[in-house]
Amino acid sequence: QQQVKQSPQSLIVQKGGISIINCAYENTAFDYFPWYQQFPGKGPALLIAIRPDVSEKKEGRFTISFNKSAKQFSLHIMDSQPGDSATYFCAASTTAGTYKYIFGTGTRLKVLA
Amino acid sequence: NAGVTQTPKFRVLKTGQSMTLLCAQDMNHEYMYWYRQDPGMGLRLIHYSVGEGTTAKGEVPDGYNVSRLKKQNFLLGLESAAPSQTSVYFCASSQQDIWEKLFFGSGTQLSVL
């Protein structure tokens, strides 16, 4: 119930294409769904996040789509660029009860020039 | 602002040796965390702290100890290192009132031979 399942494990996209990474969760107490971006040799950094009261959030070329009934959320990167090549982690957290902040297993994205 | 600083950046240990990883943050954050990152397993929480003098176990606490004697510092100790503890270790911090956003350090690459 604590897991956040992320797919695919790796993704190769042509420059200008759309990158889509999916995550699914079980715990309905989760109320915050961030995405982190990690470049090689660096720590993860918050990219974009969504709360379950909205179905979509967009920041520039990055969009989170959220489906509360299906307990799924996804990251869409429009017009993917080589500089977007990184590892992306979804996560889910809750303010209810004991601290919980669970990460997915990560997706390594490579955008070809 | 330095943000979250981890030392050392790299370390090689022999099985059975001990060491301490140091994390320092200059953002006056209440919450601090230690994660380990392994291929295909994402980020897993080892221990965390919700304030000076407090610590709590995360998902994978066995073989590790922590201390938070000062608000700005969070130490992770390995008393008797094992090859299974070969990993990249990340420290993170967050504000108490906006605790969902994690600020990560740049990581410590630890190899246990």
Side-chain angles (χ1 to χ4, degrees):
Chain A
Q1 194 175 16
Q2 299 299 336
Q3 276 189 313
V4 176
K5 296 182 179 179
Q6 183 172 348
S7 63
Q9 188 174 9
S10 62
L11 182 62
I12 299 176
V13 174
Q14 294 287 339
K15 179 182 176 181
I18 302 173
S19 304
I20 302 175
I21 305 171
N22 301 298
C23 284
Y25 64 97
E26 291 294 327
N27 189 346
T28 55
F30 287 140
D31 56 9
Y32 180 72
F33 302 90
W35 285 88
Y36 283 80
Q37 180 186 54
Q38 183 183 29
F39 293 105
K42 303 293 185 182
L46 181 66
L47 180 64
I48 186 172
I50 196 169
R51 291 199 176 273
D53 52 347
V54 296
S55 60
E56 185 176 283
K57 183 173 182 180
K58 184 176 181 179
E59 290 184 2
R61 295 183 294 107
F62 300 91
T63 300
I64 299 179
S65 296
F66 183 78
N67 186 329
K68 188 174 182 178
S69 61
K71 292 185 285 187
Q72 295 176 348
F73 58 109
S74 60
L75 176 69
H76 296 238
I77 306 174
M78 311 301 288
D79 187 26
S80 299
Q81 299 297 311
D84 298 330
S85 297
T87 299
Y88 293 81
F89 293 96
C90 64
S93 70
T94 177
T95 54
T98 307
Y99 170 85
K100 292 181 179 65
Y101 202 119
I102 308 297
F103 282 88
T105 51
T107 296
R108 183 173 292 183
L109 171 66
K110 184 171 184 178
V111 181
L112 302 177
Chain B
N1 263 351
V4 178
T5 303
Q6 291 182 234
T7 53
K9 294 189 183 301
F10 303 94
R11 186 73 186 268
V12 178
L13 291 178
K14 294 181 179 179
T15 297
Q17 287 185 319
S18 64
M19 78 162 294
T20 300
L21 305 183
L22 173 63
C23 177
Q25 54 95 3
D26 61 2
M27 296 173 282
N28 201 36
H29 286 171
E30 290 290 338
Y31 287 60
M32 296 188 75
Y33 320 82
W34 277 107
Y35 286 89
R36 60 177 290 173
Q37 183 177 20
D38 302 291
M41 303 194 75
L43 291 153
R44 293 181 293 168
L45 183 64
I46 305 171
H47 286 280
Y48 66 100
S49 168
V50 300
E52 181 178 315
T54 73
T55 63
K57 294 181 180 180
E59 301 170 72
V60 289
D62 294 342
Y64 305 94
N65 57 76
V66 289
S67 64
R68 183 97 181 269
L69 298 180
K70 292 182 179 181
K71 185 178 182 178
Q72 64 268 34
N73 295 336
F74 195 29
L75 278 62
L76 178 70
L78 286 73
E79 291 186 348
S80 180
S84 61
Q85 294 178 305
T86 293
S87 186
V88 180
Y89 292 86
F90 286 99
C91 176
S93 70
S94 65
Q95 296 180 22
Q96 186 176 10
D97 56 346
I98 316 178
W99 63 276
E100 300 93 347
K101 179 177 180 179
L102 303 182
F103 293 80
F104 283 86
S106 57
T108 296
Q109 176 95 47
L110 175 66
S111 294
V112 182
L113 306 178

Coordinates of all heavy atoms in Angstrom, one line a residue, chain B residues 20-104:
Chain B
T20 N 31.0 8.1 9.4 CA 29.9 9.1 9.6 C 29.8 10.0 8.4 O 30.8 10.6 7.9 CB 30.1 9.9 10.8 OG1 30.2 9.0 12.0 CG2 29.0 10.9 11.0
L21 N 28.6 10.1 7.9 CA 28.3 11.1 6.8 C 27.7 12.3 7.4 O 26.8 12.2 8.3 CB 27.3 10.5 5.8 CG 27.7 9.2 5.1 CD1 26.7 8.8 4.1 CD2 29.1 9.2 4.5
L22 N 28.2 13.5 7.0 CA 27.7 14.7 7.6 C 26.8 15.5 6.6 O 27.2 15.6 5.4 CB 28.9 15.6 8.0 CG 28.5 17.0 8.4 CD1 27.7 17.0 9.7 CD2 29.8 17.8 8.6
C23 N 25.7 16.0 7.1 CA 24.8 16.8 6.3 C 24.6 18.1 7.0 O 24.3 18.1 8.2 CB 23.5 16.1 6.1 SG 22.3 17.1 5.2
A24 N 24.8 19.2 6.3 CA 24.6 20.5 6.9 C 23.7 21.3 6.0 O 23.9 21.3 4.8 CB 25.9 21.2 7.1
Q25 N 22.7 22.0 6.6 CA 21.8 22.9 5.8 C 21.8 24.3 6.5 O 21.8 24.4 7.7 CB 20.4 22.3 5.7 CG 19.7 21.9 7.0 CD 18.8 23.0 7.6 OE1 18.6 24.0 7.0 NE2 18.2 22.7 8.7
D26 N 21.7 25.3 5.6 CA 21.8 26.7 6.1 C 20.4 27.4 5.8 O 20.4 28.6 5.7 CB 22.9 27.4 5.4 CG 22.8 27.5 3.9 OD1 21.8 27.0 3.4 OD2 23.8 28.0 3.3
M27 N 19.3 26.7 5.7 CA 18.0 27.3 5.4 C 17.1 27.3 6.6 O 15.9 27.6 6.5 CB 17.4 26.5 4.2 CG 18.2 26.5 2.9 SD 17.6 25.4 1.6 CE 18.2 23.9 2.2
N28 N 17.7 26.9 7.7 CA 16.9 26.9 9.0 C 15.7 26.0 8.9 O 14.6 26.2 9.5 CB 16.4 28.3 9.4 CG 16.1 28.4 10.8 OD1 16.7 27.8 11.7 ND2 15.0 29.2 11.1
H29 N 15.9 24.9 8.2 CA 14.8 23.9 8.0 C 14.7 23.0 9.3 O 15.7 22.6 9.9 CB 15.0 23.0 6.8 CG 14.8 23.7 5.5 ND1 15.1 23.1 4.3 CD2 14.2 24.9 5.2 CE1 14.8 23.9 3.3 NE2 14.2 25.0 3.9
E30 N 13.4 22.7 9.6 CA 13.2 21.8 10.8 C 13.4 20.3 10.4 O 13.9 19.6 11.2 CB 11.7 22.0 11.3 CG 11.5 23.3 11.9 CD 12.2 23.4 13.3 OE1 12.5 22.4 13.9 OE2 12.4 24.6 13.8
Y31 N 13.0 19.9 9.2 CA 13.0 18.5 8.8 C 14.3 18.2 8.1 O 14.7 18.9 7.2 CB 11.8 18.2 8.0 CG 10.5 18.1 8.7 CD1 9.9 19.2 9.3 CD2 9.7 17.0 8.7 CE1 8.7 19.1 10.0 CE2 8.5 16.9 9.3 CZ 8.0 18.0 9.9 OH 6.8 17.9 10.6
M32 N 14.9 17.1 8.4 CA 16.0 16.6 7.6 C 15.9 15.1 7.4 O 15.3 14.4 8.3 CB 17.3 16.9 8.3 CG 17.6 18.4 8.4 SD 19.2 18.9 9.0 CE 20.2 18.5 7.6
Y33 N 16.5 14.6 6.4 CA 16.3 13.2 5.9 C 17.6 12.6 5.4 O 18.4 13.3 4.8 CB 15.2 13.1 4.8 CG 14.0 14.0 5.0 CD1 14.1 15.4 4.6 CD2 12.8 13.5 5.5 CE1 13.0 16.2 4.8 CE2 11.7 14.4 5.6 CZ 11.8 15.7 5.3 OH 10.7 16.5 5.4
W34 N 17.7 11.3 5.5 CA 18.7 10.6 4.8 C 18.1 9.5 3.9 O 17.2 8.7 4.4 CB 19.7 9.9 5.8 CG 20.8 10.8 6.3 CD1 20.9 11.3 7.5 CD2 21.9 11.2 5.6 NE1 22.0 12.1 7.6 CE2 22.7 12.0 6.4 CE3 22.4 11.0 4.3 CZ2 23.9 12.6 6.1 CZ3 23.6 11.6 3.9 CH2 24.3 12.4 4.8
Y35 N 18.4 9.5 2.6 CA 18.0 8.6 1.7 C 19.2 7.8 1.1 O 20.3 8.3 1.0 CB 17.3 9.3 0.5 CG 15.9 9.8 0.8 CD1 15.7 11.1 1.3 CD2 14.7 9.0 0.6 CE1 14.5 11.6 1.5 CE2 13.5 9.5 0.8 CZ 13.4 10.8 1.3 OH 12.1 11.3 1.5
R36 N 18.9 6.6 0.6 CA 19.9 5.9 -0.2 C 19.2 5.7 -1.6 O 18.0 5.4 -1.7 CB 20.3 4.6 0.4 CG 19.3 3.6 0.7 CD 19.9 2.3 1.3 NE 20.7 1.6 0.3 CZ 21.5 0.5 0.6 NH1 21.6 0.1 1.8 NH2 22.2 -0.1 -0.4
Q37 N 20.1 5.8 -2.6 CA 19.6 5.6 -3.9 C 20.4 4.4 -4.6 O 21.6 4.4 -4.7 CB 19.8 6.8 -4.8 CG 19.3 6.7 -6.2 CD 19.5 8.0 -7.0 OE1 20.3 8.9 -6.7 NE2 18.7 8.1 -8.1
D38 N 19.6 3.4 -5.0 CA 20.2 2.2 -5.6 C 19.5 2.0 -7.0 O 18.3 2.3 -7.1 CB 19.9 1.0 -4.8 CG 20.6 1.2 -3.4 OD1 21.8 1.2 -3.3 OD2 19.8 1.3 -2.4
P39 N 20.2 1.5 -8.0 CA 19.7 1.3 -9.3 C 18.4 0.5 -9.3 O 18.3 -0.6 -8.7 CB 20.8 0.6 -10.0 CG 22.1 1.0 -9.3 CD 21.7 1.1 -7.9
G40 N 17.4 1.0 -9.9 CA 16.1 0.3 -10.0 C 15.3 0.3 -8.8 O 14.2 -0.3 -8.8
M41 N 15.7 1.0 -7.7 CA 15.0 1.0 -6.5 C 14.6 2.4 -6.0 O 14.0 2.6 -5.0 CB 15.8 0.3 -5.4 CG 16.2 -1.1 -5.8 SD 16.7 -2.1 -4.4 CE 15.2 -2.4 -3.5
G42 N 15.0 3.4 -6.8 CA 14.6 4.7 -6.5 C 15.3 5.2 -5.2 O 16.4 4.8 -4.8
L43 N 14.6 6.1 -4.5 CA 15.1 6.7 -3.3 C 14.4 6.1 -2.1 O 13.2 6.1 -2.1 CB 14.9 8.2 -3.3 CG 15.8 9.0 -4.3 CD1 15.1 10.3 -4.7 CD2 17.1 9.3 -3.7
R44 N 15.1 5.6 -1.2 CA 14.5 4.9 0.0 C 15.0 5.7 1.3 O 16.1 5.9 1.5 CB 14.8 3.5 0.1 CG 14.2 2.6 -1.1 CD 14.6 1.2 -0.9 NE 16.0 0.9 -1.1 CZ 16.6 -0.2 -0.8 NH1 15.9 -1.2 -0.3 NH2 17.9 -0.3 -1.1
L45 N 14.0 6.0 2.1 CA 14.3 6.7 3.3 C 14.9 5.9 4.4 O 14.4 4.8 4.8 CB 12.9 7.3 3.8 CG 13.0 8.2 5.1 CD1 13.9 9.5 4.8 CD2 11.7 8.6 5.6
I46 N 16.0 6.3 4.9 CA 16.7 5.6 6.0 C 16.3 6.0 7.3 O 15.7 5.2 8.1 CB 18.3 5.8 5.8 CG1 18.7 5.4 4.4 CG2 19.0 4.9 6.9 CD1 20.2 5.7 4.2
H47 N 16.5 7.3 7.6 CA 16.0 7.9 8.9 C 15.7 9.3 8.6 O 16.1 9.9 7.6 CB 17.2 7.9 9.9 CG 17.5 6.6 10.6 ND1 16.7 6.0 11.6 CD2 18.5 5.7 10.3 CE1 17.3 4.9 12.0 NE2 18.3 4.7 11.2
Y48 N 14.9 9.9 9.5 CA 14.6 11.3 9.3 C 14.5 12.0 10.7 O 14.5 11.3 11.7 CB 13.3 11.5 8.5 CG 12.0 11.0 9.2 CD1 11.2 11.9 9.8 CD2 11.7 9.7 9.1 CE1 10.0 11.4 10.4 CE2 10.5 9.2 9.7 CZ 9.7 10.1 10.3 OH 8.5 9.6 10.9
S49 N 14.4 13.3 10.7 CA 14.3 14.1 11.9 C 13.3 15.3 11.7 O 13.4 15.9 10.7 CB 15.7 14.6 12.3 OG 15.6 15.6 13.3
V50 N 12.5 15.4 12.7 CA 11.5 16.5 12.5 C 11.9 17.7 13.4 O 11.1 18.7 13.5 CB 10.1 16.1 12.9 CG1 9.6 14.9 12.0 CG2 10.0 15.6 14.3
G51 N 13.1 17.7 14.0 CA 13.6 18.8 14.7 C 14.8 18.4 15.5 O 15.1 17.3 15.6
E52 N 15.5 19.5 16.0 CA 16.7 19.2 16.8 C 16.4 18.3 17.9 O 15.4 18.4 18.7 CB 17.2 20.6 17.3 CG 18.5 20.5 18.1 CD 18.9 21.9 18.6 OE1 18.9 22.8 17.8 OE2 19.3 22.0 19.8
G53 N 17.3 17.3 18.0 CA 17.2 16.3 19.1 C 16.2 15.2 18.9 O 16.1 14.3 19.7
T54 N 15.6 15.1 17.7 CA 14.6 14.1 17.4 C 15.1 13.3 16.2 O 15.7 13.8 15.3 CB 13.3 14.6 17.0 OG1 13.3 15.2 15.8 CG2 12.8 15.6 18.1
T55 N 14.9 12.0 16.2 CA 15.1 11.1 15.0 C 14.0 10.1 14.9 O 13.4 9.8 15.9 CB 16.5 10.5 15.1 OG1 16.5 9.6 16.2 CG2 17.6 11.5 15.2
A56 N 13.8 9.5 13.7 CA 12.9 8.5 13.5 C 13.3 7.6 12.4 O 14.1 8.0 11.5 CB 11.5 9.1 13.2
K57 N 12.8 6.3 12.4 CA 13.2 5.4 11.4 C 12.4 5.6 10.2 O 11.2 5.9 10.2 CB 13.0 4.0 11.9 CG 13.9 3.6 13.1 CD 13.7 2.2 13.6 CE 14.6 1.8 14.7 NZ 14.4 0.4 15.2
G58 N 13.0 5.3 9.0 CA 12.3 5.3 7.7 C 12.1 3.9 7.3 O 11.8 3.0 8.0
E59 N 12.2 3.7 5.9 CA 11.9 2.4 5.3 C 13.0 1.4 5.5 O 12.7 0.2 5.7 CB 11.7 2.6 3.8 CG 10.6 3.6 3.4 CD 10.7 3.8 1.9 OE1 10.4 2.9 1.1 OE2 11.2 4.9 1.5
V60 N 14.3 1.9 5.5 CA 15.4 0.9 5.6 C 16.4 1.4 6.6 O 17.6 1.7 6.3 CB 16.0 0.8 4.1 CG1 15.2 0.0 3.2 CG2 16.4 2.2 3.6
P61 N 16.1 1.3 7.9 CA 17.0 1.9 8.9 C 18.1 0.9 9.4 O 19.0 1.4 10.1 CB 16.0 2.2 10.1 CG 14.9 1.1 9.9 CD 14.8 0.9 8.4
D62 N 17.9 -0.4 9.1 CA 18.8 -1.3 9.7 C 20.3 -1.1 9.3 O 20.6 -1.0 8.1 CB 18.4 -2.8 9.4 CG 17.1 -3.1 10.0 OD1 16.7 -2.4 11.0 OD2 16.4 -4.1 9.6
G63 N 21.2 -1.1 10.3 CA 22.6 -0.9 10.0 C 23.1 0.5 10.0 O 24.3 0.8 9.8
Y64 N 22.1 1.4 10.3 CA 22.4 2.9 10.3 C 22.0 3.5 11.6 O 21.0 3.1 12.2 CB 21.7 3.6 9.2 CG 22.0 3.1 7.8 CD1 21.1 2.1 7.2 CD2 23.1 3.5 7.0 CE1 21.3 1.7 5.9 CE2 23.3 3.0 5.8 CZ 22.4 2.1 5.2 OH 22.6 1.6 3.9
N65 N 22.7 4.5 12.0 CA 22.3 5.3 13.1 C 22.4 6.8 12.8 O 23.2 7.2 11.9 CB 23.0 5.0 14.4 CG 24.5 5.2 14.3 OD1 25.0 6.3 14.2 ND2 25.3 4.1 14.1
V66 N 21.6 7.6 13.4 CA 21.6 9.1 13.1 C 21.6 9.9 14.4 O 21.2 9.4 15.4 CB 20.4 9.5 12.2 CG1 20.5 8.9 10.8 CG2 19.1 9.0 12.9
S67 N 22.0 11.1 14.2 CA 21.9 12.1 15.3 C 21.7 13.5 14.8 O 22.2 13.8 13.7 CB 23.2 12.0 16.2 OG 24.3 12.5 15.4
R68 N 20.9 14.2 15.6 CA 20.5 15.6 15.2 C 20.8 16.5 16.4 O 19.8 16.9 17.1 CB 19.1 15.7 14.7 CG 18.7 17.1 14.2 CD 18.7 17.2 12.8 NE 18.3 18.5 12.3 CZ 17.1 18.9 12.0 NH1 16.1 18.0 12.1 NH2 16.8 20.1 11.6
L69 N 22.0 16.7 16.8 CA 22.4 17.5 17.9 C 22.2 19.0 17.7 O 21.9 19.7 18.7 CB 23.8 17.1 18.4 CG 24.0 15.7 18.8 CD1 25.5 15.5 19.2 CD2 23.1 15.2 19.9
K70 N 22.4 19.4 16.5 CA 22.2 20.8 16.1 C 21.1 20.8 15.0 O 21.1 19.9 14.1 CB 23.5 21.4 15.7 CG 24.5 21.6 16.8 CD 25.7 22.3 16.2 CE 26.8 22.5 17.3 NZ 28.0 23.2 16.8
K71 N 20.4 21.9 15.0 CA 19.3 22.0 14.0 C 19.8 21.9 12.5 O 19.2 21.3 11.7 CB 18.6 23.3 14.2 CG 17.4 23.5 13.3 CD 16.7 24.8 13.6 CE 15.4 25.0 12.7 NZ 14.7 26.3 13.0
Q72 N 21.0 22.5 12.3 CA 21.5 22.6 11.0 C 22.2 21.3 10.5 O 22.6 21.2 9.3 CB 22.4 23.8 10.8 CG 23.7 23.7 11.6 CD 23.6 24.4 13.0 OE1 22.5 24.4 13.6 NE2 24.6 25.0 13.5
N73 N 22.5 20.4 11.4 CA 23.3 19.2 11.1 C 22.5 17.9 11.3 O 21.8 17.7 12.3 CB 24.6 19.1 11.9 CG 25.5 20.3 11.6 OD1 25.5 20.9 10.5 ND2 26.4 20.6 12.5
F74 N 22.8 16.9 10.4 CA 22.1 15.6 10.5 C 23.2 14.6 10.1 O 23.7 14.6 9.0 CB 20.9 15.5 9.6 CG 20.0 14.4 9.9 CD1 19.9 13.9 11.2 CD2 19.2 13.8 8.9 CE1 19.0 12.8 11.5 CE2 18.3 12.8 9.2 CZ 18.2 12.3 10.5
L75 N 23.6 13.8 11.1 CA 24.7 12.8 10.9 C 24.2 11.4 10.6 O 23.2 11.0 11.3 CB 25.6 12.8 12.0 CG 26.7 13.9 12.1 CD1 26.1 15.3 12.2 CD2 27.7 13.7 13.3
L76 N 24.7 10.7 9.7 CA 24.4 9.3 9.4 C 25.6 8.5 9.7 O 26.7 8.7 9.1 CB 24.0 9.2 8.0 CG 23.6 7.7 7.5 CD1 22.3 7.3 8.2 CD2 23.5 7.6 6.0
G77 N 25.4 7.5 10.6 CA 26.6 6.6 10.9 C 26.4 5.2 10.5 O 25.3 4.7 10.5
L78 N 27.5 4.6 10.0 CA 27.5 3.2 9.7 C 28.5 2.6 10.7 O 29.7 2.9 10.7 CB 28.0 2.9 8.3 CG 27.0 3.2 7.2 CD1 26.9 4.7 6.9 CD2 27.5 2.5 5.9
E79 N 28.0 1.8 11.7 CA 28.9 1.2 12.7 C 29.8 0.1 12.2 O 31.0 0.0 12.6 CB 28.0 0.7 13.9 CG 27.4 1.9 14.6 CD 26.6 1.4 15.9 OE1 26.5 0.1 16.0 OE2 26.3 2.2 16.7
S80 N 29.3 -0.8 11.3 CA 30.0 -1.9 10.8 C 29.6 -2.1 9.3 O 28.6 -2.8 9.1 CB 29.8 -3.1 11.6 OG 30.5 -4.2 11.1
A81 N 30.3 -1.4 8.4 CA 29.8 -1.4 7.0 C 29.8 -2.8 6.4 O 30.6 -3.6 6.7 CB 30.7 -0.5 6.2
A82 N 28.8 -3.0 5.5 CA 28.6 -4.2 4.8 C 28.5 -3.9 3.3 O 28.1 -2.8 2.9 CB 27.3 -4.9 5.3
P83 N 28.9 -4.8 2.4 CA 28.8 -4.6 1.0 C 27.4 -4.1 0.5 O 27.3 -3.4 -0.4 CB 29.2 -5.9 0.4 CG 30.1 -6.5 1.4 CD 29.5 -6.1 2.7
S84 N 26.3 -4.6 1.3 CA 25.0 -4.2 0.9 C 24.7 -2.7 1.1 O 23.7 -2.2 0.7 CB 24.0 -5.0 1.7 OG 24.1 -4.8 3.1
Q85 N 25.6 -2.1 1.8 CA 25.4 -0.6 2.1 C 26.2 0.2 1.0 O 26.2 1.5 1.1 CB 25.9 -0.3 3.5 CG 25.1 -0.9 4.5 CD 25.6 -0.6 5.9 OE1 26.7 -0.9 6.3 NE2 24.7 0.0 6.8
T86 N 26.7 -0.4 0.0 CA 27.2 0.3 -1.1 C 26.1 1.0 -1.8 O 25.1 0.3 -2.2 CB 27.9 -0.7 -2.1 OG1 29.1 -1.2 -1.5 CG2 28.3 0.1 -3.4
S87 N 26.2 2.3 -2.0 CA 25.0 3.1 -2.5 C 25.4 4.5 -2.6 O 26.5 4.9 -2.3 CB 23.8 2.9 -1.5 OG 22.7 3.5 -2.0
V88 N 24.5 5.3 -3.1 CA 24.6 6.7 -3.1 C 23.7 7.3 -2.1 O 22.5 7.0 -2.1 CB 24.3 7.4 -4.5 CG1 24.5 8.9 -4.4 CG2 25.2 6.8 -5.6
Y89 N 24.2 8.1 -1.2 CA 23.4 8.6 0.0 C 23.1 10.0 -0.2 O 24.0 10.8 -0.5 CB 24.2 8.4 1.3 CG 24.3 6.9 1.6 CD1 25.3 6.1 1.1 CD2 23.4 6.3 2.5 CE1 25.4 4.8 1.4 CE2 23.4 5.0 2.8 CZ 24.5 4.2 2.3 OH 24.6 2.9 2.6
F90 N 21.9 10.4 -0.1 CA 21.4 11.8 -0.2 C 20.8 12.2 1.1 O 20.0 11.6 1.7 CB 20.4 11.9 -1.3 CG 21.0 11.8 -2.7 CD1 20.9 10.6 -3.4 CD2 21.6 12.9 -3.3 CE1 21.4 10.5 -4.7 CE2 22.1 12.8 -4.6 CZ 22.1 11.6 -5.3
C91 N 21.2 13.4 1.5 CA 20.6 14.1 2.6 C 19.6 15.1 2.0 O 19.8 15.7 0.9 CB 21.6 14.9 3.4 SG 21.0 15.9 4.7
A92 N 18.5 15.4 2.7 CA 17.6 16.4 2.2 C 17.0 17.1 3.4 O 17.1 16.7 4.6 CB 16.4 15.7 1.4
S93 N 16.4 18.3 3.2 CA 15.8 19.0 4.2 C 14.5 19.7 3.7 O 14.3 19.8 2.5 CB 16.7 20.1 4.8 OG 17.0 21.1 3.9
S94 N 13.6 20.1 4.6 CA 12.4 20.8 4.2 C 12.0 21.7 5.4 O 12.3 21.4 6.5 CB 11.3 19.8 3.8 OG 10.9 19.0 4.9
Q95 N 11.2 22.7 5.0 CA 10.6 23.6 6.0 C 9.5 22.9 6.7 O 8.8 22.0 6.1 CB 10.1 24.8 5.3 CG 11.1 25.7 4.7 CD 10.5 26.9 4.0 OE1 9.4 27.3 4.4 NE2 11.3 27.5 3.1
Q96 N 9.2 23.2 7.9 CA 8.2 22.6 8.7 C 6.8 22.9 8.1 O 5.9 22.0 8.0 CB 8.2 23.0 10.1 CG 7.2 22.3 11.0 CD 7.4 22.7 12.4 OE1 8.0 23.6 12.8 NE2 6.7 21.9 13.3
D97 N 6.6 24.1 7.6 CA 5.2 24.4 7.2 C 5.0 24.1 5.7 O 3.9 24.1 5.2 CB 5.0 25.9 7.5 CG 6.0 26.8 6.9 OD1 7.0 26.3 6.4 OD2 5.7 28.0 6.8
I98 N 6.1 24.0 4.9 CA 5.9 23.6 3.5 C 6.8 22.3 3.3 O 7.7 22.3 2.5 CB 6.4 24.7 2.5 CG1 5.8 26.0 3.0 CG2 5.9 24.4 1.1 CD1 6.2 27.2 2.1
W99 N 6.5 21.3 4.1 CA 7.5 20.2 4.3 C 7.5 19.3 3.1 O 8.3 18.5 2.9 CB 7.1 19.4 5.5 CG 5.8 18.8 5.5 CD1 4.6 19.3 5.8 CD2 5.5 17.4 5.1 NE1 3.6 18.4 5.7 CE2 4.1 17.2 5.2 CE3 6.3 16.4 4.6 CZ2 3.5 16.0 4.9 CZ3 5.7 15.1 4.3 CH2 4.3 15.0 4.5
E100 N 6.5 19.5 2.2 CA 6.5 18.6 1.0 C 7.7 18.8 0.1 O 8.1 17.8 -0.5 CB 5.2 18.8 0.2 CG 3.9 18.5 1.0 CD 3.4 19.8 1.6 OE1 4.1 20.8 1.7 OE2 2.2 19.8 2.1
K101 N 8.2 20.0 0.0 CA 9.3 20.2 -1.0 C 10.6 19.9 -0.3 O 10.9 20.4 0.7 CB 9.3 21.7 -1.4 CG 10.5 21.9 -2.4 CD 10.5 23.4 -2.9 CE 11.6 23.6 -3.9 NZ 11.6 25.0 -4.4
L102 N 11.3 18.9 -0.9 CA 12.6 18.5 -0.3 C 13.7 19.2 -1.1 O 13.7 19.3 -2.3 CB 12.7 17.0 -0.5 CG 11.7 16.1 0.2 CD1 12.0 14.6 0.0 CD2 11.6 16.5 1.7
F103 N 14.7 19.6 -0.3 CA 15.9 20.2 -0.9 C 17.0 19.2 -0.7 O 17.3 18.9 0.5 CB 16.3 21.5 -0.2 CG 15.3 22.6 -0.5 CD1 14.1 22.7 0.2 CD2 15.5 23.6 -1.4 CE1 13.2 23.7 0.0 CE2 14.6 24.6 -1.7 CZ 13.4 24.7 -1.0
F104 N 17.6 18.7 -1.7 CA 18.6 17.6 -1.6 C 20.0 18.2 -1.7 O 20.3 19.2 -2.4 CB 18.4 16.6 -2.8 CG 17.3 15.7 -2.6 CD1 16.0 16.0 -2.9 CD2 17.5 14.4 -2.0 CE1 14.9 15.1 -2.8 CE2 16.5 13.5 -1.8 CZ 15.2 13.9 -2.2

